[in-house]
Amino acid sequence: MNLIRNLAGLMIILSLLPIGMMAFRYTADIPFVYDEISDELALVQLREILLIAYDMHFQDHVLSFHYKNRDFTLSKVNDKLILQPGTQIFLADIDEMHFENRNGVIYVSYERQGKRNERVIASSEGFYIDLFSDCDVSDDLADRFEE
């Protein structure tokens, strides 16, 4: 009885082997584009920075803003989208890049190997904590001795 079960299991495994080989051959031919994935991850990090940045001004190829008490610029240098001062690379191997403002949203539009990509990176109005204040007077100073 054990021999019959073992032979039946072996027959089932041998019949599934061609299907498994076809599945491996099919998945091996799928092209994986890692540039798009790394671009999205880098742009998510850039959005986090720009979310709390102040005084954003942009021209066609340069975005400047104030972040953590310093002035930063985001621009294309040597086929890379770089945040300066320092060198933080967000997009690499890009042929052309520019910023656009549409409906209060800043887009980065870039081209790599003939393929054009366009992603939202920030709101042009910016995020100001004063917009969320409940105080009617913006220059009101807190007095700790006041009751």
Side-chain angles (χ1 to χ4, degrees), residues 5 19 28-30 33 50 53 60 62 64 74 76 82 86 104 112 137 144-145:
R5 277 193 237 172
I19 296 171
D29 293 336
I30 296 174
V33 181
L50 293 176
D60 196 31
V62 177
S64 59
L74 187 66
K76 180 185 172 205
I82 293 180
R112 179 186 291 132
V137 181
R144 293 178 190 227
F145 302 108

Side-chain angles (χ1 to χ4, degrees), residues 111-130:
E111 184 175 334
R112 179 186 291 132
Q113 298 173 352
K115 184 178 177 189
R116 169 125 337 249
N117 295 302
E118 188 174 85
R119 301 288 188 263
V120 173
I121 57 170
S123 170
S124 61
E125 284 87 27
F127 171 76
Y128 296 102
I129 198 70
D130 293 341

